[in-house]
Amino acid sequence: MVKVENYVTVSRVLEILKKITEAMRLVAAAKVRRAQEAVLQTRPFAETLQSVFAGLVDQLGKEPLDLPILETREVKKVTLLAIAGDKGLCGSYNSYVIKKVEMRKRELEGQGIQVEIIPIGTKLSAYFKRREIEFPSGSFNCPQVPTAEFASSLSRKVLSSFLDGETDKVELVYTKFVSLIASSPTIRTLLPLSATGIETEGDEIFELTTQDGDFVVKTTEFPPAQAQVFPKDTIFEQDPIQILNGILPLYLDGQILRSLQESVASELASRMQSMQSASDNAKDLKKSLSQTYNRIRQAGVTQEILEIVSGANAANA
């Protein structure tokens, strides 16, 4: 009977684990909703910024833009601003980012380019610290609710490093949110910015909703913002070039903030799926244990009946 009691104990433990993982899945879903609300709140500012930028570009026509933030120079050092998570239990989210950073680091060093890593997320920084890689510019925790202040502080750090000539290029490694079951580690160039293309960028908004009792993601695509129309006789208090010089750092802030939001959403979606898989595995294992327990119990009952019948037959003989 000890063996049977062990089956009962394990079955109860599995039921408790299933409740815990299901609760963690629902918590992650609630955080995804808050993350998407933050994206919706920042979109009007980004849209207005893009509109004004497009209007200024149209106003300047084909005049060359001589701005330090657009300066392209020989690349001798690259800074990788990499975003991962602070916690585990989120599937392969952190490991995919780590592999992406390592791959890019090897690729650049193979070309004789010096690489500096600025890790965002304790999982990322801990991994590279174990390999004795230093972070001259420091490391940061990844907030579950990214703020404009945090994104701006990162933007100022990499921008000052670029403008002072300490680095020649800044690349961002983050996880692009695709769906609840898919995400894509991505590398994009932050600095130097390109003078073209900003005004033609579209946007996508992901919304977590429920359908037939299950979580689903709806994607809404937005076209590029319409260029702000400035009358031909508009007189700017400052030169349009100087205005652009003030707008581009704000655009950089917005890109970092959006990448942080997408990375956090990808982490939470990965955690949702991991907890769902854990709950399903606990349910399947409990079912298997219940079946085994029932077979053992039934065999014990059958054995007792046989012993009683055998004893009765022996007494009547």
Side-chain angles (χ1 to χ4, degrees), residues 90-149:
C90 52
S92 56
Y93 168 76
N94 289 313
S95 61
Y96 279 170
V97 176
I98 290 172
K99 289 178 181 178
K100 197 74 171 178
V101 174
E102 281 192 317
M103 181 188 70
R104 185 56 176 162
K105 184 174 181 292
R106 285 195 301 268
E107 181 182 351
L108 292 170
E109 290 177 341
Q111 300 172 12
I113 298 174
Q114 184 182 354
V115 177
E116 178 189 352
I117 300 174
I118 301 179
I120 302 172
T122 55
K123 289 293 182 180
L124 192 61
S125 59
Y127 176 86
F128 285 108
K129 280 180 180 178
R130 289 195 297 269
R131 284 149 184 80
E132 299 181 350
I133 294 177
E134 297 181 353
F135 313 121
S137 299
S139 60
F140 304 87
N141 293 338
C142 184
Q144 286 294 291
V145 183
T147 62
E149 291 78 11

Side-chain angles (χ1 to χ4, degrees), residues 13-83:
V13 171
L14 288 173
E15 181 64 25
I16 294 172
L17 287 175
K18 179 175 176 294
K19 291 179 180 179
I20 292 173
T21 53
E22 180 64 19
M24 293 179 68
R25 184 179 76 93
L26 295 176
V27 169
K31 290 182 177 180
V32 169
R33 289 182 184 275
R34 288 201 294 269
Q36 75 185 23
E37 288 174 1
V39 172
L40 291 172
Q41 290 172 359
T42 58
R43 175 166 167 73
F45 174 76
E47 189 176 41
T48 302
L49 195 66
Q50 186 183 41
S51 175
V52 173
F53 180 86
L56 288 173
V57 170
D58 291 343
Q59 184 80 4
L60 292 170
K62 297 183 179 180
E63 181 180 340
L65 302 178
D66 185 17
L67 298 173
I69 200 172
L70 304 177
E71 179 188 355
T72 302
R73 50 182 180 254
E74 182 184 357
V75 178
K76 296 180 180 179
K77 180 180 178 180
V78 172
T79 298
L80 296 178
L81 183 63
I83 304 172

Side-chain angles (χ1 to χ4, degrees), residues 166-286:
E166 297 174 2
T167 187
D168 303 306
K169 190 177 183 181
V170 179
E171 294 182 349
L172 178 65
V173 185
Y174 72 105
T175 305
K176 183 176 176 59
F177 185 86
V178 179
S179 69
L180 283 179
I181 59 174
S183 57
S184 174
T186 304
I187 299 177
R188 64 176 297 174
T189 299
L190 275 182
L191 294 169
L193 288 176
S194 172
T196 59
I198 295 177
E199 72 278 8
T200 59
E201 287 185 347
D203 198 3
E204 284 183 324
I205 296 294
F206 300 94
E207 294 186 65
L208 180 65
T209 61
T210 55
Q211 182 176 341
D212 298 330
D214 294 325
F215 290 113
V216 295
V217 172
K218 292 184 178 180
T219 305
T220 306
E221 295 188 0
F222 294 90
Q226 295 294 323
Q228 177 72 40
V229 178
F230 297 104
K232 296 297 182 180
D233 58 349
T234 299
I235 299 175
F236 294 94
E237 292 186 3
Q238 291 180 311
D239 186 82
I241 296 292
Q242 293 180 341
I243 298 176
L244 282 177
N245 199 30
I247 286 178
L248 288 175
L250 294 176
Y251 172 78
L252 184 64
D253 293 354
Q255 292 304 299
I256 293 177
L257 178 59
R258 183 59 184 271
S259 299
L260 284 166
Q261 291 169 337
E262 285 210 36
S263 293
V264 169
S266 299
E267 178 188 358
L268 293 172
S270 182
R271 183 168 289 113
M272 284 178 61
Q273 293 304 312
S274 296
M275 294 303 100
Q276 180 66 59
S277 298
S279 298
D280 293 342
N281 290 338
K283 180 180 178 181
D284 294 340
L285 186 54
K286 182 187 175 185

Side-chain angles (χ1 to χ4, degrees), residues 4 6-19 21 277-295:
V4 173
N6 286 342
Y7 274 107
V8 174
T9 301
V10 173
S11 180
R12 290 174 179 171
V13 171
L14 288 173
E15 181 64 25
I16 294 172
L17 287 175
K18 179 175 176 294
K19 291 179 180 179
T21 53
S277 298
S279 298
D280 293 342
N281 290 338
K283 180 180 178 181
D284 294 340
L285 186 54
K286 182 187 175 185
K287 181 179 179 181
S288 176
L289 284 173
S290 296
Q291 292 173 344
T292 304
Y293 166 74
N294 290 333
R295 283 197 296 269

